[in-house]
Amino acid sequence: MTHLADLPVWAAIPVALLLLLGASLALIGSIGFVRLRSFYERVHAPTLGTTMGIGSVLLASMLCFTVLQSRLVLHEILIAVFMVVTTPITLMLLARAALYRDRSEGSDDVPAAPPVQTAAPPAPDAAPPV
């Protein structure tokens, strides 16, 4: 048995709305993952859906268990910090690895690597640094 029947209506409505919002964002991210064509387009939708969706679900969980246990529940903040930190880093690493692979294979779908800029030699009439 769960104790969710003890949750007051003033807390149950925001919890339900936050859960619906989180589930909707995760669904939108999943649909974007399936519908978009290339890897570079496909990688953004789940990342945004995951970050925003998990944030809404964690807020709902914090509200629900704070009201039920009559004390502040902070476990979800740690989960949110890890998700917010690791999701963009994972996106960046996956995109860079795919970009490196596609450039080394000579794929036409990605832009060429930017030219390496070297320091310009000093002008011949310039005074040497002191």
Side-chain angles (χ1 to χ4, degrees), residues 90-103:
T90 305
L91 164 72
M92 182 187 64
L93 291 175
L94 285 172
R96 285 188 180 195
L99 189 61
Y100 176 79
R101 181 199 62 210
D102 289 346
R103 284 182 178 163

Side-chain angles (χ1 to χ4, degrees), residues 20-35 45-46 49-50 53:
L20 285 173
L21 177 66
S24 300
L25 290 170
L27 178 66
I28 290 169
S30 300
I31 291 170
F33 182 71
V34 172
R35 302 255 330 178
T50 300

Side-chain angles (χ1 to χ4, degrees), residues 17 28 34 38 51 56 60-61 64 66 79 83 92 100 114 117 122 128:
L17 292 175
I28 290 169
V34 172
S38 73
T51 304
S56 297
S61 176
C64 176
T66 298
I79 296 169
M83 288 298 295
M92 182 187 64
Y100 176 79
Q117 300 225 348

Side-chain angles (χ1 to χ4, degrees), residues 47-60:
T47 303
L48 294 173
T50 300
T51 304
M52 296 296 290
I54 197 73
S56 297
V57 171
L58 289 173
L59 282 173

